[in-house]
Amino acid sequence: PGLLQGFLLEPARGRYLPLPGNNVGSPLALGVAFTADGRSGVTLLADEAPRQRLLLFDLGGATPRATRVPLQSRAPLDTERAWGTLVALSPSGTSVLVAEESGVTLYRLPSGQKIAEVAAPRKQRAYALRFLSEHTARTWALFAHDDEAGPATSTLVIMALSDDGTSRVAPVESLGA
């Protein structure tokens, strides 16, 4: 009830994959990412599940499939704040990077097991996610400083997460008014 349905189309071979509904618009409204060869893809689901889930697409077989993958230790996606959420898929589709207001997390696929995480010290807005290699991903985000005593400023932060469980955070500079 109230969920918008959708389809993922593959015009080259005339195939399609029906997608489940989401509570925040179309099933792909939260972004979609594909592997380098286009055989796999992923999007976050905003539904009534007790844990945050993503939808993993397998487009390489005879029949396209979609599998719901619960993400380890994640509360359901907050549909009021979901629009700032981004996803990136590793080149081979073995891991996914999820950036949202509360931080950035790297998960193993298809298990949904958490590999590495960087919690945001305050509200963040991720602007770009990239896998630098099969094993390392990077996020560029802005953290807002809401100090009533002075001008509004933001800090650009680069976060790197690796599939060995390590993470690094590097603030670049404070951008003032």
Side-chain angles (χ1 to χ4, degrees), residues 29-133:
L30 298 176
V32 61
F34 293 93
T35 55
D37 64 6
R39 297 172 60 91
S40 298
V42 68
T43 188
L44 285 173
L45 291 173
D47 55 17
E48 304 301 325
R51 288 180 28 206
Q52 186 173 341
R53 301 185 304 169
L54 55 82
L55 193 63
L56 183 61
F57 314 124
D58 176 4
L59 306 172
T63 304
R65 292 183 301 119
T67 306
R68 289 175 175 86
V69 177
L71 300 178
Q72 179 187 9
S73 307
R74 293 302 293 176
L77 192 62
D78 181 350
T79 56
E80 296 297 317
R81 297 183 174 154
W83 293 106
T85 302
L86 298 175
V87 296
L89 194 56
S90 67
S92 69
T94 57
S95 56
V96 63
L97 186 66
V98 178
E100 52 192 324
E101 190 175 89
S102 62
V104 182
T105 309
L106 183 65
Y107 296 97
R108 191 169 322 282
L109 292 177
S111 69
Q113 175 189 8
K114 182 174 24 176
I115 302 170
E117 181 175 39
V118 175
R122 58 193 163 277
K123 190 164 111 174
Q124 78 166 7
R125 172 71 165 102
Y127 284 92
L129 307 178
R130 298 287 181 271
F131 271 85
L132 305 178
S133 70

